Each structure stands twice: as structure tokens, then as C-alpha cells.
Amino acid sequence: MIIKNSLDEMKKREVSLKVIKSIIATSGRNSLYDLTGLSGGFLAKQEELDILETYIGPAIFEEKLQVLGCEHLGGEKVFAVNRTSSGILATILAIVKEDSYVVHFLPEFPAHPSIPRSCGIVGANYLEFDDIGEFIANFPKYARNVSLLVITGSTMDHKILMEEDFKTAINLAKNENIPVFVDDASGARLRTAIFSQKRATDLGADLVVTSTDKLMMGPRGGLMAGKKDLIDEIKTKAHQFGLEAQPPSVLAMVKGLEEYNEDDLKKSIVKKDELMDLLANDFNSFEKTPTGIMVSEDNLKNEIIFSLKKSDSNFNETNLDKFSNKDFCFLWAMLLLKEEHIVTIPAVSMPGASATVRFDLAANDADRIEVNNLCDKIKNSFNNLLNVIVDEKIAKKILYKNNI
Amino acid sequence: MIIKNSLDEMKKREVSLKVIKSIIATSGRNSLYDLTGLSGGFLAKQEELDILETYIGPAIFEEKLQVLGCEHLGGEKVFAVNRTSSGILATILAIVKEDSYVVHFLPEFPAHPSIPRSCGIVGANYLEFDDIGEFIANFPKYARNVSLLVITGSTMDHKILMEEDFKTAINLAKNENIPVFVDDASGARLRTAIFSQKRATDLGADLVVTSTDKLMMGPRGGLMAGKKDLIDEIKTKAHQFGLEAQPPSVLAMVKGLEEYNEDDLKKSIVKKDELMDLLANDFNSFEKTPTGIMVSEDNLKNEIIFSLKKSDSNFNETNLDKFSNKDFCFLWAMLLLKEEHIVTIPAVSMPGASATVRFDLAANDADRIEVNNLCDKIKNSFNNLLNVIVDEKIAKKILYKNNI
């Protein structure tokens, strides 16, 4: 295993950021393709920036955000947080009591780590279910001591929850007067625009948070919405610990919401199908996401073994034992960045995020690259990955050195 | 008491933000004088903004911040946080163990609430001293169980620590291998530019945090610096919970640091002395701060009683019992805003902040108002305050209604 802990993940991220900088310095911004689907924009105009001062900016943009945010997410009031993770922390600090239970229902494991981590901070017990049957069977046992039901609308890998399961879970909590908080990071747009589901608040959730840089041109940050009383409590807690979004981000959220259009998201589906068809000849384990394609940690390892055995039938899998499945993802993401100038999440992710390699065709930069060209780049870098993983030293150099 | 809790403080803040917005809409930005000393700027140019995308922006600006930040604060590495409070939380989450002691040495009580609150979150014991003698006498008793010494370089009211006391406290901790973290929110500039003290890291601190919107034209946010290993640990923890500064703030920090000039800060001292002389005829309890003047909660009450007794020698102090000392500050700040268009901290502060009314002459907007004119505005609004506090209903209307 090369990437062993959060600190290694930060190191890897720092290397990626330096590489991105030198690519831009050498070849310009347009030589880079950010397909993370997380690259929000900062669409402000100069005159808007001039009023971006600490106590003035919020007064101007806060009111617009209330209107646009409530349109987008429903609810009585919105509140902008520094990141979705800080919104989750603020919510759990405000609502969850020590020794109580937080139950998390999600489409597929693993959960975003910020939820169990925040429970750990307040000393709450954390339970998670990714199967509605198990959730229904177990929830009543804990219900009396549950202080919050968290529902994830769509995972980091864009797997979404069925609307029926959503409703079932919410109703079970409602019957016990347990508040429901939906982590709809990308789901707030994915579920509604692509799967025609209802907004979380319309399904009965008391609170929802979405990531304003996921599938929309907003800044990295979180936007919460829901019942006024709860939002006010969370806001108070957030301000105590500095978890709220700052004025430049609030402005960029307003611009991102103004710019958001469901049709742009829908177009990405057509491109995704084309790319999937092209890759099908060479790869077995690429999967579609709602707006792109992806390879999970386990599937990438299988793909690697399959390819290596194709060229050498005596290939021994134990040769790969020095690498974890996550390492393969990090390595491939770094090769995609250094050699093909394609940014994917594992190259730049925060510690604990999913290492799935995902190419998001709803990303802004996807407009600048043809599907054929992208397919070639993916194939090239995968072949280079096969060459790299014969040697741990080379692999470490790829991950930890700034050379392009 | 009118403002009873954090929620009331948030309500008051929201009213102020709406009032600010309508003043700007009606009379333009230049009709407003933000003398909080906290109104940072957002000095970015359009071409810089165009690259402000989630994973691209940081790569570009992060490197500049390292250079400028280390120049400003010393240390081996810097790390930008969403707010000073979120940097304090990240530090305590990363370094402080449950049941251990955090000792806080500060120039004057009360401590910034984010420090004891963050200790509460990790279940650490919190001790505070504002007297070096007591600190020296007590510190050794706890030293074996102390996981962090926090030193505040300058309080919210701009009272600073003597450099000798600073050194003494640091050395006591160093002898026991206890890490030292300096909360130098405004002190990083106040102590160095005005009082010719050394930077916290040069005095031996392992970590320091400063507020980039205090006495410099940066954004609301915090900049940490210190030993690389510690910064890396804090950074990892911060990313897990979304406590780090986002790219627009990082860019604005770079611009603020580029713009920072000690001489501008020094000029404010001359203006402060002029204003103090002019006010001396009417008021007894205004105090000088390093860059302006202020009235503390207790002093404002004394000033009010003094003035009311001057006009009515039979005035009974119990008439004021429905107001807390903080209420007087909040009310005056709101009158200053609504009637004189002067923004002071109590009008817009986050819950738990000091309610001292402070006029900061190092604030950017102070350049646009003459000392004579400012003096008249202060006198007018104080006289109106005397009229308002005869009636609780009127006072509530002033605090909670958006009318100008």
C-alpha cells in the first residue's frame, strides 16, 4: 500500500495542485480538462466584486440567495455553508445529543465519512443501512433514541435512492417526530433533473444540504435549506465555529444558481452513452453514472488483472500485492493528470473521499473535448498504468513528485 | 434584557444586514461608513477570477499564499482557514485529547468564546489566566496533562499582551514540550506594526492564526502558520470537516497581504488622537484602542447614567433595569447604523462576540469621513440612545425592525 492514511492523501493532493499549476503556466488553462464534475465556477462581475466586503457583501447577496435557494431546494429558509461537510458538522452539533443515535440510510455503502465523523465528535452512536428492508426492520428498535435520520439522496459515485424508499424512510421518522436531514450533495440536481424525482423538502425532509459545485457552476460550498427554526439553530452553531460560507462564496452561489439549467445536465447523458460504446471494446468494467462513466476501486483492479493476463497468461496476481485498490485509482488519476491533462477526483480529492475514477461529461470542460479524443486519452493512460505498477518506486515517484 | 441569547444576536445581525442593503440601495455605497475594522476587501482582478474554479484556483494561489503568508507570520508553512474560529476548532480537534487540559493565557478576560467551545467539543478541560503571575503560579500544577497552551496576542478590544509575558508563557510550555498556539487575530499586525513586538513564531510559538480581515484589506477568514508537521495535521482535520478557506478567499488573502502596509496602520493613530480630544468635552469613558476609540459595555452604561443624571438629578437608575449592558451597546450600534450610517461591530457581530462599541480609524471607510463630522455623528446618536432607552417597546423596534 502506498497511500496509507489521510496525510498521504493530502500529500498526493498537494502534488496534483502543483502539477495543475505548472500545466496552466506552461500550456494555458485550455490545455487542461477538469472532468471531476466538481469544478464550480466563480461567475461574478467586477461591479459585484467591488461590494464584496465583509459586512456589506452578505447584505446584498443574502437576499438573492434566499429567493434562488428556496426555488432550487424548497424549504422555508436557506443557509450557505463553507462546505457540505461543514454543514453536516453544524447540523449534527446543533441537533444531535451525546449517546443518542444517528441513523443513516443511503443508496450504497460507503457513507460520506463526514457523517460518522461528526457523530463521533458529539459522542453519538452511528448506524447505517443501504437496504430499505433492513432499514425498516431495524429502525423501530432504535427509534426512541434516534435524534436524527440522515438520508443520502445520491452517493459520491452518483448512485441514487429510489423515490419510494426515500418516502418510506422519511415517513418512518416522521411518525416518531425524528427530524430528517437529506445529504443531497449532487442529488438535488441529479435526482430531480435526470430522474424526475421530487426535491427532498417536497418529499417531507426537514433539512437538506447540496454541494453548489456538483453538477452546477457554483463554488465549492454547501447550501442548506429547510424549516426555519432548524436552519436558525444550525446557523447559530455554524457561526460559533466558523462553518458558514463567506461572502465571495455566497455571491458565487447566487451566480451558479442563476446559471443552472436542467437541460445542460440532460445533454451530458447523450455524450456519456457515446463514450461508453467506444470504450466497450477494450474494457469490461466501466460503469455508467447519470452524467458520465466511472470505474470503481475493485473494478479497476479486475480490469488491470484482466489486461495483464491477456498479454501474459502466466501473470501472477500476487505481483500486485504492494498496491491497494485505492492506490491503483490514485495512480491512474495522477497519470491522467500528468500525461493527458485530465483532472479526475482521485487526483485532487480530500482525505476519505471515494477513489472511484469518474469522467463527468456534465463538467464544464467536457464541452471542449471530443468523445473520440477523450476515449484515446483514457486508453493511453490506462496502458501506462499497466507499465507503472510493475515497480513500487516508479509508482511513488508518480504520486509524490511534481514532474509532469 | 432584550438580547437574551445567540438566536437573538443572529436576529439582530440579520436586521443590520438588511438595513445596510437598503442604505446602499437608496443612497449608494459611499453613504455608508464601515468602521468595524473588520471589513476586508476582495481586491481580485477579473483575470484572476476567471481561474477561480474549484481545483484550478487553489493550485495557482496556494503557492503565492505560502510565500506571502510565511513572510507575514513566519513559520514553515501556512494554511488558510474559513475563519479564525474554524482554524481554532481544527487545531483543537487535531491536537487536544479528551480529558487533557488546554490552558489559555490572554491579556484580559473574556476569552474569545470559540476557544472554550472547541475544548468543550473534544471534552477537554479549559483553564484561563489573564495575569502572568497567576499563570506562572498555576501552570506547573497542570503541565503534565496540558495538551495545548493557547496565547491570545491581542483581544477583541485590542488589548495586547506584553512581549515579556509572551516569552515567559512560551518558555514555560516549551520546557514541558507542550505545543504553543497563538491566537493573533489582530495581534499579528497590531503587536508588530504598532508596538514593535516580534511575530508569534519568532517568539517561539509552534502555531499562530490571524484574521485576514482585521487591520488589513483581506477577506473574512483566518491564516494559520507554524511548524510543518502540525500544520499538516491541522490541515487534514480541517479538510475532513470543511473548515478550510475556499479558493475565492485564498485569492483575496493573497491580494490583502500584497496590499498590507504597516504605515497605513500607523496613520490611524494620529486620527484617533484627534477624535479622542474632540469627544473629551462630552464623554468620560471613551478609551483609546491602538487604531481607534471604544466604549466598553460597562462604560457605556456609566456614560448613560451620567448623562441622564446631568439632565435630571432625580433620575433613578432602576429605570434602566430592563436593559442589560450589552443591550445598550447593541442599541447604540443599531442607531449608529440606521441614523448615521456608521457600521460598528455590535450591529453585525456573530453571537458571543464582544459588544464593545468601537470606531476603528484604520478601517478603509475612515478615509472618507472627517474627524469633526464623525464626532458630531457619535454625539447625535448617543443623544438619541438616551431617548430610546426610556421605552422597551421602542428599543425592540430599533433592534428588530428593518426600518431606517
Side-chain angles (χ1 to χ4, degrees):
Chain A
M1 199 191 287
I2 301 185
I3 301 266
K4 294 192 186 67
N5 50 40
S6 295
L7 221 57
D8 289 344
E9 287 192 59
M10 283 311 296
K11 257 193 258 171
K12 168 265 314 174
R13 180 178 141 89
E14 288 187 1
V15 169
S16 297
L17 294 182
K18 282 189 180 149
V19 170
I20 289 171
K21 182 171 181 286
S22 70
I23 290 173
I24 292 178
T26 320
S27 322
R29 171 65 183 90
N30 280 345
S31 71
L32 197 76
Y33 303 96
D34 186 336
L35 303 184
T36 57
L38 302 181
S39 321
F42 193 80
L43 303 170
K45 297 185 208 116
Q46 192 66 51
E47 70 254 34
E48 290 160 335
L49 295 169
D50 292 342
I51 45 172
L52 258 193
E53 295 172 31
T54 302
Y55 286 128
I56 315 302
I60 308 287
F61 303 115
E62 179 65 25
E63 220 164 287
K64 284 192 183 180
L65 189 72
Q66 286 301 328
V67 176
L68 291 165
C70 283
E71 245 170 54
H72 190 63
L73 295 175
E76 297 166 2
K77 187 172 183 176
V78 304
F79 171 50
V81 285
N82 186 44
R83 273 197 23 219
T84 301
S85 297
S86 71
I88 288 169
L89 176 60
T91 303
I92 289 177
L93 285 174
I95 294 179
V96 175
K97 298 269 170 303
E98 196 174 342
D99 295 329
S100 72
Y101 282 81
V102 171
V103 178
H104 184 193
F105 177 46
L106 67 165
E108 187 178 63
F109 296 136
H112 193 283
S114 66
I115 300 168
R117 276 178 186 145
S118 296
C119 291
I121 278 192
V122 298
N125 304 298
Y126 172 78
L127 289 176
E128 55 183 17
F129 300 96
D130 73 348
D131 177 280
I132 186 70
E134 278 178 40
F135 175 79
I136 294 169
N138 286 284
F139 188 74
K141 294 185 209 164
Y142 300 95
R144 282 189 57 183
N145 294 315
V146 173
S147 52
L148 184 67
L149 170 62
V150 181
I151 300 178
T152 291
S154 145
T155 64
M156 289 185 272
D157 291 341
H158 283 184
K159 177 137 191 211
I160 70 153
L161 209 63
M162 305 286 288
E163 200 176 64
E164 274 316 301
D165 296 348
F166 225 116
K167 285 183 195 162
T168 305
I170 289 178
N171 288 337
L172 273 175
K174 291 273 142 180
N175 290 341
E176 308 281 345
N177 287 319
I178 296 163
V180 178
F181 172 40
V182 175
D183 178 0
D184 231 5
S186 53
R189 287 158 298 288
L190 203 54
R191 291 191 308 99
T192 54
I194 308 291
F195 294 95
S196 306
Q197 289 189 11
K198 284 191 180 147
R199 299 181 300 189
T201 51
D202 295 334
L203 291 169
D206 302 289
L207 290 165
V208 60
V209 64
T210 193
S211 302
T212 54
D213 55 339
K214 286 188 177 152
L215 308 178
M216 64 177 274
M217 280 292 286
R220 189 166 179 90
L223 186 62
M224 299 195 65
K227 297 240 170 77
K228 189 177 170 305
D229 290 354
L230 289 172
I231 291 284
D232 283 341
E233 276 179 51
I234 293 163
K235 196 168 171 177
T236 300
K237 196 58 88 169
H239 279 290
Q240 288 175 351
F241 293 105
L243 309 176
E244 79 285 355
Q246 298 310 313
S249 293
V250 172
L251 164 59
M253 284 180 195
V254 166
K255 307 301 286 183
L257 286 169
E258 282 174 352
E259 200 71 10
Y260 174 65
N261 181 351
E262 288 198 352
D263 292 337
D264 297 341
L265 210 53
K266 288 173 184 164
K267 271 186 229 161
S268 64
I269 300 176
V270 179
K271 286 180 89 172
K272 164 190 78 173
D273 291 337
E274 286 174 20
L275 180 62
M276 193 67 175
D277 289 345
L278 286 170
L279 289 167
N281 300 325
D282 295 86
F283 299 102
N284 307 303
S285 49
F286 276 74
E287 295 173 272
K288 288 185 188 182
T289 71
T291 60
I293 60 166
M294 67 166 191
V295 196
S296 70
E297 297 167 18
D298 295 350
N299 282 344
L300 181 58
K301 182 167 185 186
N302 293 336
E303 197 77 56
I304 288 168
I305 292 170
F306 180 81
S307 295
L308 290 172
K309 285 199 170 162
K310 207 160 52 180
S311 54
D312 170 10
S313 57
N314 291 321
F315 176 77
N316 187 341
E317 289 185 28
T318 59
N319 290 354
L320 298 176
D321 281 356
K322 34 192 180 296
F323 299 101
S324 72
N325 292 7
K326 266 186 195 283
D327 285 341
F328 293 128
C329 294
F330 289 135
L331 272 166
W332 192 24
M334 198 60 99
L335 289 170
L336 280 161
L337 172 60
K338 287 184 171 179
E339 298 179 352
E340 308 295 342
H341 296 193
I342 291 174
V343 190
T344 54
I345 294 175
V348 288
S349 58
M350 307 289 183
S354 157
T356 293
V357 180
R358 184 150 57 91
F359 302 89
D360 196 314
L361 298 170
N364 213 35
D365 289 2
D367 281 351
R368 286 194 286 103
I369 188 165
E370 283 189 35
V371 171
N372 276 314
N373 188 6
L374 178 57
C375 177
D376 290 343
K377 283 171 173 281
I378 291 173
K379 284 183 193 169
N380 281 343
S381 65
F382 181 79
N383 288 333
N384 281 341
L385 176 64
L386 299 181
N387 297 329
V388 159
I389 56 180
V390 297
D391 188 332
E392 208 180 353
K393 270 191 194 159
I394 296 178
K396 276 191 183 159
K397 213 173 138 187
I398 302 265
L399 282 174
Y400 293 138
K401 296 281 175 193
N402 303 340
N403 62 305
I404 305 185
Chain B
M1 198 189 289
I2 301 186
I3 299 264
K4 294 191 187 70
N5 50 41
S6 294
L7 221 56
D8 289 345
E9 286 192 59
M10 283 309 297
K11 257 193 260 174
K12 167 264 316 173
R13 179 178 143 87
E14 288 186 3
V15 169
S16 297
L17 294 182
K18 282 188 182 151
V19 170
I20 290 172
K21 183 170 181 285
S22 71
I23 290 173
I24 292 178
T26 320
S27 323
R29 170 67 181 89
N30 279 345
S31 71
L32 197 75
Y33 303 97
D34 185 337
L35 303 184
T36 59
L38 300 181
S39 319
F42 192 80
L43 304 169
K45 297 182 208 124
Q46 192 66 50
E47 70 254 34
E48 290 161 333
L49 296 169
D50 292 340
I51 45 171
L52 257 193
E53 296 172 29
T54 305
Y55 287 129
I56 316 301
I60 309 286
F61 304 115
E62 178 64 25
E63 220 164 287
K64 284 193 184 177
L65 187 73
Q66 285 302 326
V67 176
L68 291 166
C70 283
E71 244 169 55
H72 191 63
L73 295 175
E76 298 166 1
K77 187 171 182 175
V78 304
F79 171 49
V81 285
N82 186 45
R83 275 201 16 223
T84 301
S85 297
S86 72
I88 287 168
L89 176 60
T91 303
I92 289 177
L93 284 174
I95 294 178
V96 175
K97 297 270 170 298
E98 195 175 342
D99 295 330
S100 72
Y101 282 81
V102 171
V103 178
H104 184 193
F105 177 47
L106 66 167
E108 186 178 65
F109 296 136
H112 192 283
S114 66
I115 300 169
R117 277 181 187 143
S118 296
C119 291
I121 277 193
V122 299
N125 304 296
Y126 172 80
L127 289 174
E128 55 183 17
F129 300 96
D130 73 348
D131 178 281
I132 186 69
E134 279 178 40
F135 175 80
I136 293 170
N138 287 284
F139 188 75
K141 294 185 211 164
Y142 300 95
R144 281 190 57 184
N145 294 315
V146 173
S147 52
L148 184 67
L149 170 62
V150 181
I151 301 178
T152 290
S154 147
T155 64
M156 291 184 273
D157 290 340
H158 283 183
K159 177 140 190 205
I160 70 154
L161 209 64
M162 305 286 288
E163 199 175 65
E164 274 316 302
D165 296 347
F166 225 116
K167 285 183 194 162
T168 305
I170 289 178
N171 288 336
L172 274 175
K174 291 273 141 180
N175 290 342
E176 308 281 346
N177 287 317
I178 295 163
V180 179
F181 172 39
V182 176
D183 178 359
D184 230 4
S186 52
R189 287 159 298 287
L190 202 55
R191 290 192 308 100
T192 55
I194 308 291
F195 294 94
S196 306
Q197 290 190 11
K198 282 190 182 147
R199 298 182 299 190
T201 53
D202 296 334
L203 292 169
D206 302 288
L207 290 165
V208 60
V209 65
T210 193
S211 301
T212 54
D213 54 339
K214 286 187 178 154
L215 309 178
M216 64 178 274
M217 278 293 285
R220 188 166 180 91
L223 186 63
M224 300 195 63
K227 297 244 170 74
K228 188 178 173 304
D229 291 352
L230 289 172
I231 291 284
D232 282 340
E233 276 178 53
I234 292 163
K235 196 169 171 178
T236 300
K237 196 58 90 172
H239 279 290
Q240 289 174 352
F241 293 104
L243 309 176
E244 78 285 357
Q246 298 310 313
S249 293
V250 172
L251 164 58
M253 284 180 194
V254 166
K255 307 301 287 184
L257 286 169
E258 281 174 354
E259 200 72 9
Y260 174 66
N261 181 350
E262 288 197 354
D263 292 337
D264 296 340
L265 210 53
K266 288 172 183 163
K267 269 184 233 163
S268 64
I269 300 176
V270 180
K271 286 181 87 171
K272 164 189 80 175
D273 291 338
E274 286 173 22
L275 180 62
M276 193 67 176
D277 290 345
L278 286 171
L279 289 168
N281 300 327
D282 295 86
F283 299 102
N284 307 303
S285 49
F286 274 75
E287 294 173 272
K288 287 186 189 182
T289 72
T291 61
I293 60 167
M294 67 168 192
V295 195
S296 69
E297 298 167 18
D298 295 350
N299 282 344
L300 181 57
K301 182 167 184 182
N302 294 335
E303 197 76 58
I304 288 168
I305 292 170
F306 180 82
S307 294
L308 290 172
K309 286 199 170 159
K310 207 160 52 180
S311 53
D312 170 12
S313 57
N314 292 322
F315 176 77
N316 187 342
E317 288 185 29
T318 58
N319 289 353
L320 298 176
D321 280 355
K322 36 191 177 299
F323 299 100
S324 72
N325 291 6
K326 266 186 196 281
D327 284 341
F328 293 128
C329 293
F330 289 135
L331 272 167
W332 192 24
M334 197 61 98
L335 289 170
L336 279 160
L337 172 60
K338 287 184 170 178
E339 298 178 351
E340 307 296 343
H341 296 193
I342 291 175
V343 189
T344 55
I345 294 177
V348 289
S349 58
M350 306 290 183
S354 156
T356 294
V357 180
R358 185 149 56 92
F359 302 89
D360 196 313
L361 297 170
N364 213 36
D365 289 1
D367 281 351
R368 287 193 283 105
I369 187 165
E370 280 189 39
V371 171
N372 275 316
N373 188 6
L374 177 58
C375 177
D376 290 344
K377 282 170 173 282
I378 291 172
K379 285 183 192 168
N380 282 344
S381 64
F382 181 79
N383 288 333
N384 282 341
L385 176 65
L386 299 181
N387 297 329
V388 159
I389 56 179
V390 296
D391 187 333
E392 208 181 350
K393 268 191 197 163
I394 296 179
K396 275 192 183 162
K397 213 173 141 186
I398 301 267
L399 281 175
Y400 293 138
K401 296 279 176 194
N402 303 339
N403 62 306
I404 305 185

